[in-house]
Each structure stands twice: as structure tokens, then as C-alpha cells.
Amino acid sequence: MASRVGAPAPPARAQRAGGAVELPQLRVRSRAPGEPRRVAYLYLAPAFLFYVVFAFVPLAYTAWLSFFDWDGLTVGTWTGLDNYDAILSDPGIRDSFVHAFELIVFYALLPVVLGLVLAAVIANGRVRGVTFFRAVLFLPQTIATVVVAIAWVWIYAPRGPLNEVLDAVGLDAVSRGWLGDFTYALPALGLVGTWVMFGLCLVLFLAGMQKIPQTLYEAARVDGAGRVREFFAVTLPGLRGELAVALTLTTIMALRTFDLIYVSTAGGPGTSTTVPSVLVYQNAFVNGRVGLAAAVAVVLTALIFAVAFAITRLVDRDPGR
Amino acid sequence: MTEARREQLLSYAVLGVFCVVALYPILSIVFLAFHERSDLVTGFALPDSLSLDTFRDAWELGGFDRGLLNSFIVAATVSIVTAALSTLAGYAFGAMRFRGSSALFYLLLIGLIFPYEATVIPLYYVFKDYGLTDSYWALILPQIGLSIPFGTFWMRAFFRSTPGSLVEASRLDGASSFVTLWRVLLPQAWPAITTMIVLVFMWTWNEFLLALIMIQSDELRTAPLGLALFAGATRSQDPTLTAAAAVLVALPIVIVYIFLQRSFIRGMFSGAVKE
Amino acid sequence: MLIGAAGCGGTPGEEKQSTAEKPAADVQTDGFEKLGPVTLNVISGEGSGGPREAIKKLTEQFEAKYPNVTVKVGFRDTASWFKQAKLVAASENPPEVFAGNQGFQVDGELVKAGLILPLDEYAKAYGWNDSFTEETLQQFKWSEDGKTFGEGKLWGVAQSGQSTGVFANMAKLRAAGVDPDSLKTFDDFDAALAKLREQLPEDEPVIALGNKDQYGAIHMWGMVQGAYTPAQEMRDWIFHKDGATFDTPGNVKSLAKIKEWADKGYLGPGDSFNARNDAEAAEAFGKGEGALMLGGNWNASIAKDGLGKDAAFFDMPPGESGDTVAIGSASLPMHISTKAENPDLAAAYIDFITGPTAAPALVDTQQVPAATDGTAEPGDPLGQEVKAGWDKLVEDGGLTLYPDWSSPTMLQTMGQTFQELLAGRIPPEEVVSKTQADWDKYHQELAEG
């Protein structure tokens, strides 16, 4: 049931041609509108070549490296599963995965909720200038993460705008060097993620809402449903596909995040904002423990695949659309 | 005031608040950049004058002319090659049938969530062996590889949405698959292709981890990488300078976005979610 | 080749080629005009304050001496440079001259991987063995396998002597009735801190500290450690002498002492010192925040520029031993890449910025030249105090060097545990045990060969 929304309209000429032509004798084809198989592979080949060579081959290589103890400069030694042992036993490494999952709340759950709320507001509130609001709220997505990090380091600075606002409203007991605080640095960075992601979710849901047939809303109203009931009964189920996409994309961003952390806190203070991708970089290129870094990378990738699969299964129960 | 009117105002208010939230960090760094370098800026201070001195200084001191050029070369190459290869592959997925199409498609889907962290380590060492670190290739080749899944997915969605009758008609006219693509479908595909090019360009421009690892020389640094190093070195002495540099690096994409935001957003997910 | 290794099921990496040494006769120390137009790429790991200014000035002078040579200097902030140095050194086109860091994190790895040239022949040609003391040169000596530190060939030389001590904002000390001359012992200093705490407003720290890059607190602690521990103990531990240990009562006491300072609010409200780094704290101190700054003399010019006549410097007063002990060493060594096309020119540049010719530029930026045969004397009071501080430490044999030199991961280990200590999350004993565990692990790796 593919929707036509957003797809360019086919020109009239072809439609007429497609509809009116008288079919001459053709070889009977069992596949339609089938090109001979081989040609398709030719079209696929260059793309898949790049993809496999620069994605899967390195992934396999990373997995192979994870079984070694190597400093990247001299010869490495085989250590079997020792690196994976270290991941399980070292509290610092375990914590980094915990931090990544904590970030999911900020990067994925909050933005999805905000996106739903804002999309509902726009759809129901009969506001004009939707294009303007959408453009502004999506803007954070277009800013390079390095710039985002620099901007927010400034905002969270001991004498930065956030503390200034807090002091002004009398909350100066709360103001502090946010990114230097063991408890608050990670949530502070998480909120930056929320800021970046909520526009993405909003746009996704707005597009999705457009596709929900008006008839469903009318039917719900006839049944006496109020605004809220409408939302939960019609809108939310209709957005299932978009929800899956939004949750998947944002959750993976949470698990993968590197730029923001590296540029703002480099994983500190202590290890309170260290996440797996930072560990990969640190161990591979700073500490000279390439095998360990590779193992962390493998575990991270496996987690990402698992989470994406789980979300799709759970949320989008109709994958055959 | 009627219920509806009140609701409308409330909606505007809520949206307004979130717009402020979205813009505030951006504006605070822009204002910071406009301050004189010697100002001791605290908080969200409006600058007294709109001097462009810090921008000029940042440009000169940070070597951002090279940085922006490098970013442009890499992003343009990646997006154009990706567009070409993805169109071909998307055409195959979207308009042809062949054995293994489902399996190959799922393989491709994995690419949409593939993290760079999984590949950077060996990519670095292999490129190093070939003497290709500190070169454009080190940035271009891997990013083509990891942009192709999205591009192919995108073009597949487009090709699937074109009526089968179109392709039929062309075949009946005796056209080869390539001619069908080139003459019949491509003219309609341009909006989808250009949107894809812009998106891939943006993501490539903003890529940081790969550049951090592959590029060590000053000459070949991309803009985000140059910015991170510049910020590290000058942040303490000169927050205004750092802010100016940040604005310079973010500006090109923001400008492109402002002009193209309609097609940017409108096309972006309607196609993706159809599947 | 790595791919081949994978294919054969081999191991990653390869043996390094040994670096051939230049015979003394081939070393060229002048006449570089004949090279024609040539570019020298340099990276300095001290991108702020006095060291930055000094290198800029000296580079200009070098270019004036050899007009055909263009020197391109890149500046990096120290903490991130320590992380990037190896990658840059191993890249396709590394700079000819770049800074390293003494110890096993950077220099040891650079030597082990064969990325820098041994400089013994240049030392003979330029007389470095006479210009620098043996204690200084020892910091740059390594065996070729990068395992033995302090002996073997010479791999770099440095510009200045860097010690850590107490910077004071004299206006604030006077307002609180604290006279530095009256502080004869560490206990006197400790008492003075309490006086300053009473005098200053609540949200202003007594000691301006910036620990975001995780080394500011270590430097501050080093001079406190000096009141409880002899310097030789630390040096033995850094050089990995068998039987050396970090687990001593003196270390536990000194860690407890800085924790006490944090608890008493001397370091400022909450954990704000973790939100800014060393250079930012120095800038803030220079602009009048805090009464004292316990850190390195590389920040002297920032203090002077900001506080003018009110800037003062003195060593931390000694503990029971009566010896002045603090963290200090030569500054970051400059190395020559093995891929340098003109190593002789690179060596000439290094000699220019570290030798006697460099003394005036260094002294003008309140630094202490490492070369002992320069004739420039510091002209301003702060520069004199910095030099006096350094001289006293040398005299008392009190330079402990830097504890993070002792393993490739030590800076990270100590940096993180110190942050957690000051935040009250772990006790001093845990800092000690984690530090010693890191040392033990690396000690074993070194022994295994």
C-alpha cells in the first residue's frame, strides 16, 4: 500500500502510453516487468563493491583484530578472548556501555515524545506558517556536531548563559560547572542530544501524519472521541512506521555518539561521560591497545544491530507494508 | 475568546517556546562571535557592535580557507559518486526483478545503521599501508561505501513509486534497460536525486571521527576537524575567536539548508517511510 | 603488510627497521643557505602563554638567519597533543620537528616504533652535552627498544626548565594579611590558606585550579607530596627501578591533604575546577580570580600579563625534611622525525631554539632556559622569582619529574582517579592502589621484553 505522498507525479504522456497501447506478440515472461537477471547485477555491482569493501570487509577485519593484543606499532600477539573478558570484567568499560544506554533516554525517548507532542500541536492547532516552524525546529540537525559541542560547552560554562539564567531567577544554588560535574555531565550532554534530535522526530511525524486518512479521524469523531482519544486511537497507530524509524535512528545515534563527547568533555570528568566509541578511539589511537578497541567496536556494533532489530520487531509489527 | 482561538494561541506559544529553544544555542554562539576579542563575555550578552574582526582573525589563524575547501572537495565527490552508484543500484532494486533481491536488500538495510566505529581501525591501518592516510581518498572512499546504503534505499523508493507502465512502454519500444533509465526515468528522478545529494553532502561535511583518524596534516584537514583542533588550542584564551570559527564552519550547510529546506525536509522522509 | 598478514592468518603489525645513525663527519651545522628554498614543519605541544610567544619569536629569528628557509609552526594544546603525537609521528608526512613528552606514554613509544632519530651526533656537534646538565639529558635518553628510560642514546632536547610552584596575587594576600616571606614551612602555608578562605568571598576559590584536562590537580598535588616524600623516591618510581612503589604513607597523607583542601572550599564551589583546563584557570587567575595558583611556571607570562606587579611566584615551602620538592623537569623535548628530508636543518632549528641563543627570548617570557650556558638574566621581578624557584629546586635535588611518565596509561589513570578523589567519590587509598596497579602491570610488560 505504497503512498504517493512526496513522489513526483508521472507525466501524462507515459500514462496514456501505458494505458492505451495494444500489446504486440511478446515472448512470455514469467517475471514482470522483468529485465534479464544478469543486467540487474551489473547495476548493483559498483554500489555493492564500495559497500562491501568499505563496510563489511573492515568489520570482519575489526573482528579479527579483536583477538590480538597489539599496540599498532610493532608486532601483535594472539590473546584469544582476553579482550572480551576485559570488556566484561573492567568496570570502566562496562560503565561506558551503561552510559551509552543512559543516553538513549535523552537522544531517543525524549525527542520522540517531544516530536509527537509538537506534531500534534501543529496538526491540531490550526497554526499557520508550518513551513517556518518546521524549518526552525529542524535546524539543529544541520549544524555540524563539532559546532554543536562548542556552542553547548559555552552554554554550560561556569560563567555561561545557562548559569546566568539560573542566577537571574534565583536558582544560583543550582548553577555550577555542568560539564565538570560527575553527576550532571552525562545528563547535560544527553540534553544536547535531545536538542539535536527532536526536530528530526518532529519532521518524521509530520510527514507521517499527512498520510493518515482523514476518514479515520472522522470515524473517531463520530464515535465521540475527544482530541486525546483521537491521538491515541488514530494518530499513534498510524505513525507506527515513522515511530520505528525515529526510534531506530535516534537510539543508534545515542549508542554511536562520539563527536559531541570527544569535543566537549573527552569522556571526563573521570570516566563519567565515557562511551564505547570514545573508548574505541582512546584505546586504538592513544593508548596503543588496538585489540581491546577492536573488541569494544565489535560489541558496540553487535549491540546496535540487536537494538535496531528489536525496535523494528517491537514497534513496526507490519514490516510487509 | 473562543475555545478554538485559545487553542490556536496556545499552539503558537508552545511552538514559539521550542523555536527559542532550538535557536538559543545557535544565537548565543553567533553573538559570542561578534564580540571583540578582548571582551570578557559572560552569559548571553548582546555585542555592542557587529564587527567582523573575530571572523577575519579566525579565518586567518585557523586556516579555514583550506579547511572549507577540503570539506567541499570531499563532500562533493562523495555525494556525486554516491548519487551515481545509488541511482544505478536503486534502479535495479526498484524496477527489476532478480534472484536474491530480498537478501541483498536486507544486506543494504544493515548499512543504514552501520557505525563508523566498526570500520575505522582497520581502515586506518590499511590506508596507512598503502600510504593513503593524509589523502582525500582516505576520506572519500569509506564515506562512499557507507553512504551508498542510504542512497540506494532512497532511489529504490523512488523507482518503486514510478508506474510500472512507464518501464513497460519503454521496453516495448525496444529500449535497453540503460536507455530506459537515462531517457525515461532520470528526468523525473532529479528532485529525488538532488535531495539525496544534498543530504549526503551535509552528512559528509559534518563527519568528524573519520577525519580525526585519517588526517594528521594541516593541509588536508576538513573544516570540522580544523575547528576541533582550533578550539582546543584557543578556547581558553579566546572564546570569541573559537565562536567565530565555529560559525564559519557551520555556515555553509546552514545557508544551503535555508535555501533548500523545503525540498530537504519534504522529500526526506516521505520516501523513506513508504517502505 | 597487514592484509597479507590477515590472509596468511598471521599477526598484525611488523618489525620496525632499525634507524641508521649518521656518522659525525656527515653532520652539517651551518651553510643551510645552499639548500635553496626549503620548508621546515614544526609542531609545538605548548600552544599557550609564554612558550608559544617564545617559539614564535625564535622562529622569526631563525628565518631571518636563513632567509631561504620557511618554518611553519603549528601549536597544539598540551593534553590533546599527548594523545595525537604518535599518530602524527606515524603519518605519511609527519613534521620534521615535533614535540614529544618524556616518559613511557609518548617518547618511549616513539623510540620503540622507530619514529624519531637518535641525536647523539648532533649533541657532539653542537656541544649539548656541555650545555645541559646530566639530569636534564637523562630525561631524553632511551634504549633503542624504548624499554629503558634514562640511559642509552639521546632522542631529544628541550627549551626550558619547568617547575611547579605557587603563584600569588599579592593584592589579595596583603588584604588578608598573609606575607609569603613568613611562610617557612608547609604547615605555615596550610594555615595561610585558612586565612585566605575567610577573607575571600564565598564563591571565589582560594586556589585557582583547572583540572578539566586531568593534569592540573596532579601538579598541585606534586608540591604537597613534596612536603611528605623525598624526590628521589618518585624519580626511582618513574624510572621503573625494581622495588619502587607509590604505596607510601607520605603519598596517602598528601592525597588526603588536597582532598581536605577541596572539602574546605579552597578550590572553589563544587566541582567547577573540573569544568575548565589549566590554561583557562591561568587566564582566570590573571584576570583576578583567586588568591593563589598552584601550577607550572609555563603560566608565568599569563600571570604577569594579567596581574602586573601583583604577580608573585615562590616554591612551596618545604615539609619536615627541609628540602624543597615539587614536580618539575625540562620542558617538552623536540624530536626529529625519521622521515625528515633535512635532518641537519631540523637539528639546527632545534639547537637554535634550545641553545644559548634562545635564552633572551625564553627569559623575556618568564621562562627558565634549560641550557645552562645562556647569558640572559630575567629582567622583571616575576621572571626572577621563577628562576629563583627553579634554581632552589635544582639545588635541593627536589625535581621529582612527572608521575605520569611512568606508563603509557598513567596520565589517564592518575588523571581520572584524582578527579574522583577531589569529587569525594573515592578515598586516597584507592588512588594509590589504582596508580600502583597500573605501574605494576607496565613494570611486568617491560620485564617480559
Side-chain angles (χ1 to χ4, degrees):
Chain A
M1 208 176 50
S3 154
R4 293 269 189 250
V5 172
R13 175 185 80 84
Q15 266 175 339
R16 262 182 277 131
V21 119
E22 175 85 50
L23 296 184
Q25 277 295 43
L26 286 176
R27 265 182 297 155
V28 172
R29 294 188 192 282
S30 51
R31 315 171 263 285
E35 289 288 337
R37 295 194 267 175
R38 276 187 250 123
V39 169
Y41 294 129
L42 206 59
Y43 281 95
L44 292 172
F48 269 89
L49 184 70
F50 267 98
Y51 176 46
V52 168
V53 166
F54 290 104
F56 282 97
V57 169
L59 176 61
Y61 205 156
T62 305
W64 179 70
L65 282 176
S66 68
F67 297 116
F68 286 90
D69 180 11
W70 186 36
D71 64 1
L73 300 169
T74 54
V75 183
T77 49
W78 175 270
T79 58
L81 290 175
D82 282 1
N83 289 321
Y84 291 97
D85 262 343
I87 294 180
L88 289 174
S89 59
D90 185 329
I93 302 183
R94 275 201 321 255
D95 281 350
S96 75
F97 283 96
V98 171
H99 296 154
F101 274 93
E102 281 174 33
L103 286 179
I104 291 181
V105 172
F106 292 97
Y107 274 62
L109 300 180
L110 266 182
V112 163
V113 168
L114 281 176
L116 282 173
V117 166
L118 289 172
V121 165
I122 288 183
N124 292 335
R126 281 176 295 258
V127 294
R128 298 233 288 270
V130 173
T131 318
F132 169 79
F133 285 115
R134 209 180 46 184
V136 169
L137 294 171
F138 190 75
L139 193 59
Q141 275 279 299
T142 64
I143 314 272
T145 20
V146 178
V147 176
V148 171
I150 290 177
W152 280 90
V153 166
W154 166 246
I155 292 182
Y156 282 132
R159 286 181 209 271
L162 177 63
N163 284 337
E164 191 186 54
V165 166
L166 287 173
D167 288 348
V169 298
L171 281 172
D172 39 323
V174 183
S175 69
R176 61 191 66 218
W178 295 94
L179 293 179
D181 187 298
F182 273 88
T183 328
Y184 292 107
L186 190 65
L189 288 179
L191 283 177
V192 179
T194 309
W195 178 82
V196 171
M197 288 295 165
F198 83 92
L200 178 70
C201 296
L202 170 66
V203 162
L204 260 174
F205 298 143
L206 275 180
M209 275 171 153
Q210 281 186 303
K211 291 163 24 206
I212 301 177
Q214 268 302 100
T215 50
L216 288 175
Y217 283 111
E218 283 158 18
R221 255 174 249 140
V222 161
D223 281 349
R227 197 59 59 71
V228 176
R229 269 282 307 282
E230 242 176 56
F231 182 79
F232 282 100
V234 180
T235 315
L236 218 45
L239 285 178
R240 190 173 268 143
E242 285 76 9
L243 266 174
V245 172
L247 275 174
T248 309
L249 288 178
T250 53
T251 307
I252 289 173
M253 278 316 294
L255 294 175
R256 282 177 49 177
T257 183
F258 174 82
D259 306 6
L260 177 64
I261 312 262
Y262 183 79
V263 176
S264 62
T265 60
T271 50
S272 60
T273 59
T274 302
V275 289
S277 53
V278 171
L279 274 184
V280 170
Y281 177 76
Q282 267 177 1
N283 279 301
F285 300 106
V286 177
N287 292 345
R289 291 168 63 188
V290 182
L292 180 63
V296 174
V298 167
V299 173
L300 179 65
T301 309
L303 262 175
I304 288 179
F305 289 159
V307 166
F309 185 72
I311 291 178
T312 322
R313 265 300 141 110
L314 282 174
V315 178
D316 196 3
R317 282 198 209 94
D318 195 7
R321 273 178 19 174
Chain B
M1 199 187 308
T2 63
E3 175 79 36
R5 181 93 176 117
R6 208 187 350 239
E7 203 178 275
Q8 196 184 37
L9 283 178
L10 187 63
S11 304
Y12 277 121
V14 168
L15 288 172
V17 165
F18 277 95
C19 281
V20 168
V21 167
L23 290 174
Y24 183 79
I26 302 174
L27 284 178
S28 62
I29 204 132
V30 169
F31 287 155
L32 185 58
F34 275 112
H35 274 95
E36 296 296 326
R37 284 176 66 173
S38 51
D39 287 356
L40 178 59
V41 187
T42 59
F44 188 84
L46 290 170
D48 315 307
S49 62
L50 287 180
S51 90
L52 291 177
D53 286 345
T54 45
F55 291 99
R56 201 193 41 230
D57 289 343
W59 180 267
E60 281 168 10
L61 290 172
F64 285 108
D65 49 344
R66 272 229 70 98
L68 290 171
L69 179 67
N70 291 331
S71 281
F72 180 79
I73 291 177
V74 172
T77 312
V78 170
S79 49
I80 291 176
V81 173
T82 302
L85 296 186
S86 298
T87 306
L88 292 176
Y91 178 51
F93 273 119
M96 305 180 191
R97 296 209 181 196
F98 51 93
R99 267 250 296 261
S101 67
S102 295
L104 285 175
F105 183 62
Y106 281 119
L107 194 65
L108 204 66
L109 277 187
I110 294 180
L112 290 178
I113 55 176
F114 216 104
Y116 273 107
E117 286 81 355
T119 61
V120 281
I121 302 177
L123 280 178
Y124 171 73
Y125 285 104
V126 170
F127 274 113
K128 192 149 163 319
D129 273 348
Y130 284 106
L132 285 176
T133 50
D134 269 325
S135 75
Y136 288 124
W137 295 116
L139 295 177
I140 290 176
L141 297 175
Q143 293 192 82
I144 293 178
L146 279 176
S147 303
I148 278 185
F150 171 75
T152 307
F153 188 64
W154 186 254
M155 293 315 294
R156 170 184 180 269
F158 165 76
F159 284 116
R160 268 170 68 130
S161 74
T162 59
S165 47
L166 212 60
V167 178
E168 269 289 322
S170 171
R171 298 263 11 271
L172 292 174
D173 285 346
S176 73
S177 61
F178 189 74
V179 170
T180 308
L181 175 65
W182 190 256
R183 291 264 175 77
V184 178
L185 294 173
L186 224 45
Q188 294 170 30
W190 279 126
I193 294 182
T194 42
T195 309
M196 185 229 315
I197 288 183
V198 171
L199 285 172
V200 173
F201 188 91
M202 171 175 90
W203 290 329
T204 308
W205 181 279
N206 292 344
E207 174 58 36
F208 177 68
L209 176 62
L210 198 62
L212 179 67
I213 291 174
M214 294 296 184
I215 305 292
Q216 307 301 331
S217 83
D218 291 349
E219 294 293 307
L220 287 167
R221 252 191 238 129
T222 57
L225 181 61
L227 176 64
L229 290 171
F230 187 74
T234 63
R235 192 186 301 173
S236 51
Q237 284 115 312
D238 238 325
T240 56
L241 199 60
T242 310
V247 170
L248 283 175
V249 170
L251 203 55
I253 298 291
V254 172
I255 291 180
V256 169
Y257 169 69
I258 291 178
F259 280 111
L260 293 181
Q261 52 91 7
R262 252 180 194 274
S263 56
F264 227 98
I265 298 179
R266 184 189 56 193
M268 193 166 166
F269 291 103
S270 53
V273 189
K274 269 193 293 176
E275 304 309 316
Chain C
M1 183 128 91
L2 298 191
I3 289 189
C8 310
T11 50
E14 46 200 21
E15 299 288 344
K16 79 161 190 213
Q17 291 89 20
S18 63
T19 54
E21 211 171 296
K22 271 179 128 62
D26 279 2
V27 163
Q28 188 189 355
T29 57
D30 57 13
F32 296 106
E33 307 84 18
K34 305 201 190 76
L35 283 176
V38 68
T39 308
L40 196 66
N41 288 300
V42 176
I43 292 189
S44 151
E46 296 184 83
S48 56
R52 186 190 180 114
E53 289 311 309
I55 292 223
K56 272 183 165 166
K57 210 189 295 179
L58 289 167
T59 304
E60 275 167 36
Q61 293 171 4
F62 186 77
E63 282 180 322
K65 185 171 174 199
Y66 293 109
N68 57 312
V69 177
T70 314
V71 183
K72 285 205 202 146
V73 186
F75 291 100
R76 301 277 186 276
D77 81 286
T78 315
S80 36
W81 178 243
F82 288 172
K83 295 183 195 161
Q84 292 160 18
K86 287 173 287 189
L87 270 184
V88 171
S91 70
E92 273 313 294
N93 293 304
E96 282 87 358
V97 176
F98 57 90
N101 187 31
Q102 299 94 317
F104 290 95
Q105 183 189 20
V106 183
D107 278 5
E109 299 281 296
L110 291 174
V111 171
K112 184 163 82 159
L115 295 170
I116 54 179
L117 291 176
L119 304 180
D120 299 79
E121 298 310 322
Y122 295 114
K124 285 204 199 97
Y126 287 107
W128 291 343
N129 295 314
D130 300 321
S131 298
F132 299 95
T133 65
E134 185 51 40
E135 282 81 28
T136 302
L137 290 174
Q138 191 190 27
Q139 296 169 30
F140 314 123
K141 287 192 177 166
W142 293 86
S143 58
E144 276 207 47
D145 57 7
K147 287 195 186 257
T148 312
F149 179 28
E151 318 169 352
K153 297 195 177 157
L154 183 73
W155 300 86
V157 281
Q159 279 187 302
S160 62
Q162 294 182 329
S163 64
T164 55
V166 183
F167 283 93
N169 182 335
M170 286 310 297
K172 302 208 174 178
L173 260 60
R174 281 192 293 266
V178 172
D179 179 11
D181 290 333
S182 71
L183 303 175
K184 298 287 182 214
T185 69
F186 178 73
D187 291 332
D188 292 340
F189 181 82
D190 206 5
L193 289 178
K195 255 174 130 181
L196 287 164
R197 178 69 276 168
E198 272 168 52
Q199 170 76 11
L200 292 173
E202 221 183 276
D203 61 352
E204 189 178 334
V206 173
I207 299 173
L209 174 67
N211 197 29
K212 182 166 179 212
D213 287 338
Q214 299 184 341
Y215 60 77
I218 298 178
H219 297 175
M220 177 181 78
W221 165 77
M223 58 188 96
V224 176
Q225 182 205 33
Y228 298 94
T229 312
Q232 189 60 37
E233 250 182 56
M234 268 317 277
R235 289 197 289 260
D236 285 341
W237 186 76
I238 291 172
F239 285 108
H240 272 274
K241 299 275 184 288
D242 285 324
T245 179
F246 194 75
D247 194 349
T248 65
N251 284 339
V252 177
K253 280 201 206 125
S254 51
L255 287 169
K257 176 58 72 174
I258 62 171
K259 172 77 174 61
E260 194 189 299
W261 288 358
D263 290 339
K264 289 189 177 160
Y266 295 162
L267 303 178
D271 294 343
S272 48
F273 49 80
N274 275 330
R276 61 181 180 190
N277 65 17
D278 184 54
E280 285 164 343
E283 286 285 325
F285 177 74
K287 294 194 171 123
E289 179 189 306
L292 301 167
M293 180 171 67
L294 270 55
N297 64 4
W298 53 82
N299 282 326
S301 71
I302 297 180
K304 172 166 174 295
D305 289 341
L307 298 174
K309 288 212 207 75
D310 279 337
F313 179 85
F314 53 89
D315 288 331
M316 175 66 78
E320 277 181 16
S321 63
D323 285 330
T324 314
V325 175
I327 287 182
S329 73
S331 59
L332 303 187
M334 298 304 269
H335 301 300
I336 301 181
S337 162
T338 38
K339 288 192 183 157
E341 276 177 19
N342 296 302
D344 290 346
L345 178 63
Y349 176 80
I350 292 182
D351 177 70
F352 192 85
I353 65 171
T354 59
T357 42
L362 292 170
V363 155
D364 279 344
T365 47
Q366 288 79 43
Q367 298 184 76
V368 180
T372 52
D373 49 1
T375 49
E377 280 300 319
D380 61 288
L382 187 65
Q384 286 162 358
E385 286 166 355
V386 165
K387 181 154 194 314
W390 167 264
D391 287 341
K392 182 77 169 58
L393 279 168
V394 172
E395 193 186 301
D396 284 359
L399 292 169
T400 66
L401 309 179
Y402 288 76
D404 52 272
W405 293 1
S406 54
S407 94
T409 48
M410 188 56 78
L411 183 56
Q412 195 176 311
T413 303
M414 286 181 83
Q416 286 169 358
T417 49
F418 271 62
Q419 279 182 329
E420 294 185 23
L421 172 77
L422 290 178
R425 292 162 68 97
I426 60 175
E429 287 79 6
E430 199 173 320
V431 177
V432 167
S433 63
K434 283 194 169 144
T435 302
Q436 187 56 29
D438 186 322
W439 188 94
D440 284 331
K441 185 151 176 277
Y442 193 66
H443 196 73
Q444 205 182 358
E445 271 182 47
L446 287 176
E448 275 162 14

